[in-house]
Amino acid sequence: MKRAAAFLALLLCLYWTRAQGESGGLTENDVTQTEVQSEILGVKATSDQTNITPDIWAELEELRDMVIQHSVELRKLEQENTAIQARLTDSEIKNAVLEARMNASDNKVEQLERENTVLEARMTASENLVEELQRENIDLKARLNTGEKVVEELQRENTVLEARITASENLVDDLETENILLEARVSFNENDVEELQRENAERPKVAFSVGLTDAGQVGPFSADITLKFSKIFTNIGQAYNPSTGVFTAPVRGTYYFRFNARESQDTKLVGIILYHNDKQITLSFDRVVSHGYVTVSNAFVLQLEKGDVIYLDLWENSSVYDDRYNHTTFSGFLLFAM
Protein backbone atom coordinates (compact mmCIF):
# COMPACT_ATOMS: atom_id res chain seq x y z
CA MET A 1 0.00 0.00 0.00
CA LYS A 2 2.83 2.35 0.82
CA ARG A 3 4.53 1.48 -2.47
CA ALA A 4 1.45 2.43 -4.38
CA ALA A 5 1.14 5.76 -2.60
CA ALA A 6 4.78 6.59 -3.29
CA PHE A 7 4.49 5.68 -6.92
CA LEU A 8 1.35 7.76 -7.22
CA ALA A 9 3.12 10.73 -5.68
CA LEU A 10 5.97 10.28 -8.14
CA LEU A 11 3.61 10.21 -11.08
CA LEU A 12 1.94 13.39 -9.83
CA CYS A 13 5.31 15.07 -9.64
CA LEU A 14 6.11 13.99 -13.16
CA TYR A 15 2.79 15.20 -14.45
CA TRP A 16 3.18 18.51 -12.73
CA THR A 17 6.70 18.93 -14.12
CA ARG A 18 5.46 18.20 -17.59
CA ALA A 19 2.66 20.72 -17.19
CA GLN A 20 5.13 23.36 -16.12
CA GLY A 21 7.32 22.57 -19.09
CA GLU A 22 4.46 22.96 -21.48
CA SER A 23 3.50 26.28 -19.90
CA GLY A 24 6.90 27.82 -20.44
CA GLY A 25 9.48 25.74 -18.62
CA LEU A 26 10.59 25.56 -14.99
CA THR A 27 11.15 28.69 -12.97
CA GLU A 28 13.10 29.08 -9.79
CA ASN A 29 9.92 28.60 -7.75
CA ASP A 30 9.18 25.52 -9.78
CA VAL A 31 12.61 24.16 -8.98
CA THR A 32 12.11 24.97 -5.31
CA GLN A 33 8.79 23.25 -5.28
CA THR A 34 10.37 20.32 -7.05
CA GLU A 35 13.08 20.23 -4.43
CA VAL A 36 10.50 20.44 -1.65
CA GLN A 37 8.54 17.69 -3.21
CA SER A 38 11.73 15.77 -3.61
CA GLU A 39 12.43 16.30 0.08
CA ILE A 40 8.94 15.17 0.96
CA LEU A 41 9.33 12.22 -1.23
CA GLY A 42 12.70 11.71 0.39
CA VAL A 43 11.19 11.85 3.86
CA LYS A 44 8.51 9.54 2.76
CA ALA A 45 11.10 7.45 1.13
CA THR A 46 13.09 7.51 4.35
CA SER A 47 10.10 6.70 6.45
CA ASP A 48 9.14 3.98 4.11
CA GLN A 49 12.66 2.96 3.30
CA THR A 50 12.33 -0.05 5.34
CA ASN A 51 9.38 -1.11 3.32
CA ILE A 52 10.74 -0.26 -0.25
CA THR A 53 13.14 -2.45 -2.02
CA PRO A 54 16.46 -1.13 -3.21
CA ASP A 55 15.55 -1.77 -6.88
CA ILE A 56 12.51 0.44 -6.84
CA TRP A 57 14.45 3.15 -5.14
CA ALA A 58 17.05 3.08 -7.75
CA GLU A 59 14.43 3.20 -10.46
CA LEU A 60 12.84 6.26 -8.84
CA GLU A 61 16.18 8.01 -8.74
CA GLU A 62 16.69 7.22 -12.38
CA LEU A 63 13.21 8.49 -13.12
CA ARG A 64 13.96 11.65 -11.22
CA ASP A 65 17.18 12.21 -13.05
CA MET A 66 15.45 11.55 -16.29
CA VAL A 67 12.75 14.04 -15.42
CA ILE A 68 15.31 16.71 -14.55
CA GLN A 69 17.30 16.00 -17.70
CA HIS A 70 14.15 16.11 -19.76
CA SER A 71 13.23 19.40 -18.11
CA VAL A 72 16.61 20.89 -18.95
CA GLU A 73 16.44 19.59 -22.49
CA LEU A 74 12.90 20.84 -22.76
CA ARG A 75 14.05 24.30 -21.68
CA LYS A 76 16.82 24.20 -24.29
CA LEU A 77 14.32 23.12 -26.89
CA GLU A 78 12.02 25.96 -25.87
CA GLN A 79 14.89 28.46 -26.14
CA GLU A 80 15.86 27.05 -29.50
CA ASN A 81 12.21 27.21 -30.55
CA THR A 82 12.06 30.85 -29.47
CA ALA A 83 15.25 31.58 -31.39
CA ILE A 84 13.91 29.70 -34.39
CA GLN A 85 10.65 31.63 -34.19
CA ALA A 86 12.64 34.89 -33.98
CA ARG A 87 14.75 33.76 -36.90
CA LEU A 88 11.62 32.74 -38.75
CA THR A 89 10.16 36.19 -38.06
CA ASP A 90 13.36 37.82 -39.36
CA SER A 91 13.27 35.49 -42.35
CA GLU A 92 9.66 36.39 -43.00
CA ILE A 93 10.55 40.08 -42.84
CA LYS A 94 13.53 39.50 -45.04
CA ASN A 95 11.39 37.39 -47.34
CA ALA A 96 8.81 40.20 -47.54
CA VAL A 97 11.59 42.67 -48.23
CA LEU A 98 13.00 40.30 -50.82
CA GLU A 99 9.56 39.87 -52.34
CA ALA A 100 9.15 43.66 -52.45
CA ARG A 101 12.61 43.96 -53.96
CA MET A 102 11.73 41.12 -56.33
CA ASN A 103 8.54 42.93 -57.37
CA ALA A 104 10.51 46.15 -57.79
CA SER A 105 13.10 44.21 -59.76
CA ASP A 106 10.38 42.68 -61.92
CA ASN A 107 8.96 46.15 -62.53
CA LYS A 108 12.46 47.42 -63.24
CA VAL A 109 13.02 44.48 -65.59
CA GLU A 110 9.76 45.24 -67.40
CA GLN A 111 10.75 48.90 -67.61
CA LEU A 112 14.21 47.91 -68.83
CA GLU A 113 12.64 45.54 -71.36
CA ARG A 114 10.47 48.39 -72.65
CA GLU A 115 13.49 50.69 -72.71
CA ASN A 116 15.46 47.90 -74.41
CA THR A 117 12.72 47.63 -77.06
CA VAL A 118 12.89 51.39 -77.60
CA LEU A 119 16.68 51.26 -77.66
CA GLU A 120 16.60 48.38 -80.14
CA ALA A 121 14.28 50.41 -82.37
CA ARG A 122 16.59 53.41 -81.99
CA MET A 123 19.58 51.16 -82.62
CA THR A 124 17.95 49.83 -85.80
CA ALA A 125 17.18 53.39 -86.91
CA SER A 126 20.76 54.38 -86.03
CA GLU A 127 22.16 51.44 -87.99
CA ASN A 128 19.99 52.38 -90.98
CA LEU A 129 21.17 55.97 -90.60
CA VAL A 130 24.77 54.76 -90.37
CA GLU A 131 24.33 52.71 -93.55
CA GLU A 132 22.78 55.71 -95.29
CA LEU A 133 25.60 57.93 -94.04
CA GLN A 134 28.13 55.37 -95.23
CA ARG A 135 26.56 55.36 -98.68
CA GLU A 136 26.51 59.14 -98.65
CA ASN A 137 30.12 59.09 -97.45
CA ILE A 138 31.11 56.87 -100.39
CA ASP A 139 29.28 59.22 -102.75
CA LEU A 140 30.90 62.24 -101.08
CA LYS A 141 34.32 60.61 -101.34
CA ALA A 142 33.74 60.01 -105.04
CA ARG A 143 32.57 63.59 -105.45
CA LEU A 144 35.51 64.79 -103.38
CA ASN A 145 37.93 62.88 -105.59
CA THR A 146 36.26 64.36 -108.65
CA GLY A 147 36.37 67.79 -107.03
CA GLU A 148 40.05 67.37 -106.18
CA LYS A 149 40.78 66.39 -109.78
CA VAL A 150 38.82 69.42 -110.97
CA VAL A 151 40.72 71.60 -108.49
CA GLU A 152 44.04 70.22 -109.73
CA GLU A 153 42.98 70.83 -113.32
CA LEU A 154 41.84 74.33 -112.41
CA GLN A 155 45.12 74.93 -110.62
CA ARG A 156 47.02 73.84 -113.71
CA GLU A 157 44.82 76.03 -115.86
CA ASN A 158 45.28 78.85 -113.34
CA THR A 159 49.06 78.44 -113.62
CA VAL A 160 48.80 78.58 -117.41
CA LEU A 161 46.46 81.56 -117.18
CA GLU A 162 48.79 83.33 -114.76
CA ALA A 163 51.65 82.76 -117.19
CA ARG A 164 49.48 84.03 -120.02
CA ILE A 165 48.37 86.99 -117.90
CA THR A 166 51.98 87.75 -117.09
CA ALA A 167 52.85 87.55 -120.78
CA SER A 168 49.79 89.67 -121.57
CA GLU A 169 50.79 92.21 -118.95
CA ASN A 170 54.26 92.34 -120.43
CA LEU A 171 52.71 92.68 -123.86
CA VAL A 172 50.41 95.40 -122.53
CA ASP A 173 53.45 97.21 -121.15
CA ASP A 174 55.15 96.86 -124.52
CA LEU A 175 51.98 97.98 -126.28
CA GLU A 176 51.64 100.91 -123.92
CA THR A 177 55.21 101.86 -124.71
CA GLU A 178 54.52 101.41 -128.42
CA ASN A 179 51.26 103.31 -127.97
CA ILE A 180 53.17 106.19 -126.44
CA LEU A 181 55.55 106.11 -129.39
CA LEU A 182 52.62 105.82 -131.81
CA GLU A 183 50.85 108.68 -130.11
CA ALA A 184 53.99 110.72 -130.51
CA ARG A 185 54.20 109.69 -134.16
CA VAL A 186 50.49 110.33 -134.66
CA SER A 187 50.89 113.74 -133.11
CA PHE A 188 53.86 114.35 -135.43
CA ASN A 189 51.86 113.03 -138.40
CA GLU A 190 48.89 115.12 -137.41
CA ASN A 191 51.15 118.10 -137.39
CA ASP A 192 52.41 117.03 -140.81
CA VAL A 193 48.85 116.54 -142.01
CA GLU A 194 47.91 119.94 -140.74
CA GLU A 195 50.94 121.36 -142.49
CA LEU A 196 50.06 119.51 -145.70
CA GLN A 197 46.48 120.66 -145.37
CA ARG A 198 47.68 124.21 -145.03
CA GLU A 199 49.97 123.67 -148.03
CA ASN A 200 47.16 122.06 -150.02
CA ALA A 201 44.88 124.88 -149.09
CA GLU A 202 47.50 127.32 -150.31
CA ARG A 203 48.55 125.49 -153.53
CA PRO A 204 46.28 125.45 -156.58
CA LYS A 205 44.09 122.46 -157.31
CA VAL A 206 44.42 121.38 -160.94
CA ALA A 207 42.66 118.45 -162.65
CA PHE A 208 40.79 117.94 -165.90
CA SER A 209 39.13 115.14 -167.86
CA VAL A 210 37.58 115.75 -171.31
CA GLY A 211 36.05 113.87 -174.30
CA LEU A 212 36.58 114.65 -177.98
CA THR A 213 33.11 114.74 -179.57
CA ASP A 214 29.73 113.05 -180.03
CA ALA A 215 29.88 113.52 -183.85
CA GLY A 216 31.70 110.28 -184.64
CA GLN A 217 34.53 110.34 -187.21
CA VAL A 218 37.21 113.07 -187.09
CA GLY A 219 39.84 113.14 -189.92
CA PRO A 220 41.81 112.23 -191.80
CA PHE A 221 43.70 115.44 -192.56
CA SER A 222 46.69 116.13 -194.75
CA ALA A 223 48.61 117.71 -191.86
CA ASP A 224 48.77 117.39 -188.08
CA ILE A 225 46.00 119.27 -186.28
CA THR A 226 45.47 119.95 -182.55
CA LEU A 227 42.47 118.03 -181.23
CA LYS A 228 39.94 120.18 -179.39
CA PHE A 229 38.17 118.06 -176.74
CA SER A 230 34.81 119.72 -176.38
CA LYS A 231 33.11 117.47 -173.79
CA ILE A 232 34.19 118.67 -170.33
CA PHE A 233 33.87 116.10 -167.53
CA THR A 234 36.17 117.86 -165.06
CA ASN A 235 38.15 121.10 -165.28
CA ILE A 236 39.25 122.09 -161.79
CA GLY A 237 41.37 125.19 -161.86
CA GLN A 238 40.26 125.90 -165.47
CA ALA A 239 43.76 125.05 -166.75
CA TYR A 240 42.36 123.28 -169.85
CA ASN A 241 40.96 125.48 -172.66
CA PRO A 242 38.30 123.60 -174.76
CA SER A 243 38.47 126.31 -177.47
CA THR A 244 42.12 125.59 -178.22
CA GLY A 245 42.45 122.06 -176.80
CA VAL A 246 45.55 123.23 -174.85
CA PHE A 247 46.35 122.66 -171.15
CA THR A 248 48.43 125.46 -169.56
CA ALA A 249 50.28 124.74 -166.27
CA PRO A 250 49.17 127.30 -163.63
CA VAL A 251 52.12 126.52 -161.28
CA ARG A 252 55.50 124.86 -161.42
CA GLY A 253 55.10 121.22 -160.51
CA THR A 254 54.78 117.59 -161.47
CA TYR A 255 51.74 116.58 -163.49
CA TYR A 256 50.15 113.35 -164.70
CA PHE A 257 48.62 113.08 -168.20
CA ARG A 258 46.77 110.27 -170.01
CA PHE A 259 45.02 109.93 -173.37
CA ASN A 260 42.95 107.29 -175.21
CA ALA A 261 41.86 107.19 -178.93
CA ARG A 262 39.79 104.75 -181.00
CA GLU A 263 39.19 103.97 -184.70
CA SER A 264 36.67 101.46 -186.10
CA GLN A 265 36.80 101.79 -189.94
CA ASP A 266 38.79 99.32 -192.04
CA THR A 267 42.16 100.43 -193.44
CA LYS A 268 41.97 103.55 -191.30
CA LEU A 269 45.02 104.68 -189.38
CA VAL A 270 44.78 106.25 -185.94
CA GLY A 271 47.72 108.25 -184.59
CA ILE A 272 47.97 110.59 -181.57
CA ILE A 273 50.96 112.87 -180.79
CA LEU A 274 51.53 114.29 -177.25
CA TYR A 275 53.32 117.64 -177.14
CA HIS A 276 55.02 119.45 -174.26
CA ASN A 277 55.26 123.02 -175.57
CA ASP A 278 56.80 122.38 -179.01
CA LYS A 279 58.41 119.11 -177.96
CA GLN A 280 56.87 115.84 -179.14
CA ILE A 281 56.68 113.42 -176.22
CA THR A 282 55.15 110.40 -178.01
CA LEU A 283 53.40 109.18 -181.14
CA SER A 284 50.91 106.38 -180.51
CA PHE A 285 49.33 104.82 -183.62
CA ASP A 286 47.68 101.68 -185.06
CA ARG A 287 45.62 100.52 -188.13
CA VAL A 288 42.21 98.86 -188.29
CA VAL A 289 42.02 95.52 -190.17
CA SER A 290 39.40 92.82 -190.78
CA HIS A 291 36.33 94.85 -189.95
CA GLY A 292 37.45 95.49 -186.36
CA TYR A 293 38.65 98.43 -184.37
CA VAL A 294 41.81 99.62 -182.64
CA THR A 295 42.53 101.72 -179.58
CA VAL A 296 45.72 103.53 -178.68
CA SER A 297 46.52 104.98 -175.27
CA ASN A 298 49.44 106.25 -173.25
CA ALA A 299 50.26 108.10 -170.01
CA PHE A 300 53.14 110.27 -168.69
CA VAL A 301 54.26 112.12 -165.60
CA LEU A 302 55.83 115.39 -166.61
CA GLN A 303 57.55 118.20 -164.75
CA LEU A 304 56.20 121.53 -165.97
CA GLU A 305 57.07 125.10 -165.37
CA LYS A 306 54.39 127.66 -164.83
CA GLY A 307 52.93 128.55 -168.27
CA ASP A 308 54.05 125.33 -170.04
CA VAL A 309 51.43 123.85 -172.37
CA ILE A 310 50.34 120.27 -173.09
CA TYR A 311 48.16 119.26 -176.08
CA LEU A 312 47.33 116.37 -178.44
CA ASP A 313 47.68 116.45 -182.25
CA LEU A 314 45.96 114.10 -184.69
CA TRP A 315 48.70 112.66 -186.91
CA GLU A 316 48.43 113.47 -190.63
CA ASN A 317 46.44 111.07 -192.80
CA SER A 318 44.93 109.43 -189.70
CA SER A 319 41.53 109.62 -188.13
CA VAL A 320 39.85 109.06 -184.77
CA TYR A 321 36.34 108.10 -183.67
CA ASP A 322 34.24 109.26 -180.71
CA ASP A 323 30.59 109.31 -179.77
CA ARG A 324 28.41 109.44 -176.69
CA TYR A 325 30.25 106.44 -175.23
CA ASN A 326 33.45 108.55 -174.91
CA HIS A 327 35.98 106.34 -176.67
CA THR A 328 38.54 109.17 -177.18
CA THR A 329 39.51 111.10 -174.01
CA PHE A 330 42.23 113.32 -172.54
CA SER A 331 42.96 113.73 -168.77
CA GLY A 332 45.55 115.27 -166.46
CA PHE A 333 46.08 116.62 -162.91
CA LEU A 334 48.72 118.19 -160.66
CA LEU A 335 50.55 115.68 -158.50
CA PHE A 336 52.38 118.25 -156.39
CA ALA A 337 53.67 121.75 -156.72
CA MET A 338 57.43 122.43 -156.66
Side-chain angles (χ1 to χ4, degrees), residues 187-207:
S187 298
F188 181 77
N189 290 332
E190 287 176 349
N191 294 330
D192 287 343
V193 168
E194 290 177 357
E195 182 67 24
L196 290 173
Q197 287 176 347
R198 285 192 298 271
E199 292 178 357
N200 289 330
E202 294 173 356
R203 74 180 181 178
K205 296 176 176 56
V206 181

Side-chain angles (χ1 to χ4, degrees), residues 234-249:
T234 303
N235 193 12
I236 298 173
Q238 303 301 314
Y240 174 76
N241 186 349
S243 299
T244 61
V246 176
F247 171 82
T248 303

Side-chain angles (χ1 to χ4, degrees), residues 2-286:
K2 290 181 180 180
R3 289 181 181 180
F7 186 73
L8 181 59
L10 181 60
L11 291 176
L12 289 172
C13 289
L14 290 174
Y15 177 76
W16 179 82
T17 301
R18 183 177 179 183
Q20 290 296 321
E22 291 176 355
S23 64
L26 297 175
T27 63
E28 291 181 357
N29 294 327
D30 296 333
V31 173
T32 302
Q33 291 177 0
T34 304
E35 290 176 353
V36 172
Q37 290 176 358
S38 298
E39 288 178 357
I40 293 172
L41 290 174
V43 172
K44 291 181 177 181
T46 302
S47 62
D48 294 334
Q49 195 172 11
T50 58
N51 298 321
I52 300 171
T53 62
D55 294 333
I56 293 173
W57 180 252
E59 291 177 0
L60 290 173
E61 288 181 351
E62 290 178 359
L63 290 172
R64 184 193 63 186
D65 294 336
M66 289 175 63
V67 168
I68 293 171
Q69 184 177 0
H70 289 166
S71 297
V72 173
E73 291 177 356
L74 184 60
R75 290 181 64 185
K76 289 182 179 180
L77 291 173
E78 289 176 350
Q79 292 175 356
E80 290 178 357
N81 188 24
T82 302
I84 290 170
Q85 289 179 353
R87 288 173 64 185
L88 288 175
T89 303
D90 292 336
S91 298
E92 290 175 354
I93 294 172
K94 290 180 180 180
N95 190 23
V97 173
L98 289 173
E99 288 180 356
R101 291 177 64 186
M102 182 64 70
N103 293 329
S105 297
D106 292 337
N107 295 330
K108 186 67 175 179
V109 167
E110 292 178 356
Q111 183 179 356
L112 290 174
E113 287 178 350
R114 289 192 297 272
E115 293 179 357
N116 189 28
T117 302
V118 175
L119 289 174
E120 286 180 354
R122 293 176 62 186
M123 180 63 72
T124 302
S126 298
E127 289 175 350
N128 294 331
L129 180 60
V130 167
E131 291 178 356
E132 182 66 23
L133 291 175
Q134 287 176 346
R135 289 191 295 271
E136 291 180 358
N137 191 25
I138 293 171
D139 182 61
L140 289 175
K141 285 181 178 179
R143 293 174 62 187
L144 181 60
N145 291 330
T146 303
E148 289 175 349
K149 292 179 181 178
V150 172
V151 168
E152 291 177 358
E153 182 66 24
L154 290 176
Q155 287 176 347
R156 288 192 294 271
E157 291 180 357
N158 191 28
T159 302
V160 174
L161 289 174
E162 287 178 353
R164 292 176 62 185
I165 288 172
T166 302
S168 297
E169 289 175 349
N170 295 330
L171 181 60
V172 167
D173 293 337
D174 294 339
L175 291 175
E176 287 177 349
T177 303
E178 292 179 1
N179 191 29
I180 293 171
L181 296 176
L182 289 174
E183 286 179 354
R185 292 176 63 184
V186 167
S187 298
F188 181 77
N189 290 332
E190 287 176 349
N191 294 330
D192 287 343
V193 168
E194 290 177 357
E195 182 67 24
L196 290 173
Q197 287 176 347
R198 285 192 298 271
E199 292 178 357
N200 289 330
E202 294 173 356
R203 74 180 181 178
K205 296 176 176 56
V206 181
F208 74 96
S209 181
V210 293
L212 182 60
T213 181
D214 289 337
Q217 195 77 32
V218 177
F221 300 102
S222 59
D224 296 345
I225 64 167
T226 300
L227 294 174
K228 298 176 181 178
F229 291 84
S230 60
K231 297 188 293 186
I232 307 299
F233 305 123
T234 303
N235 193 12
I236 298 173
Q238 303 301 314
Y240 174 76
N241 186 349
S243 299
T244 61
V246 176
F247 171 82
T248 303
V251 295
R252 183 176 185 268
T254 301
Y255 293 81
Y256 173 83
F257 296 97
R258 176 181 177 82
F259 63 87
N260 189 72
R262 177 177 178 174
E263 180 56 82
S264 59
Q265 291 187 8
D266 287 348
T267 71
K268 294 293 184 181
L269 178 68
V270 57
I272 301 296
I273 303 170
L274 174 66
Y275 280 96
H276 173 199
N277 294 327
D278 293 330
K279 180 182 179 182
Q280 179 179 322
I281 301 302
T282 184
L283 169 59
S284 299
F285 65 92
D286 201 350

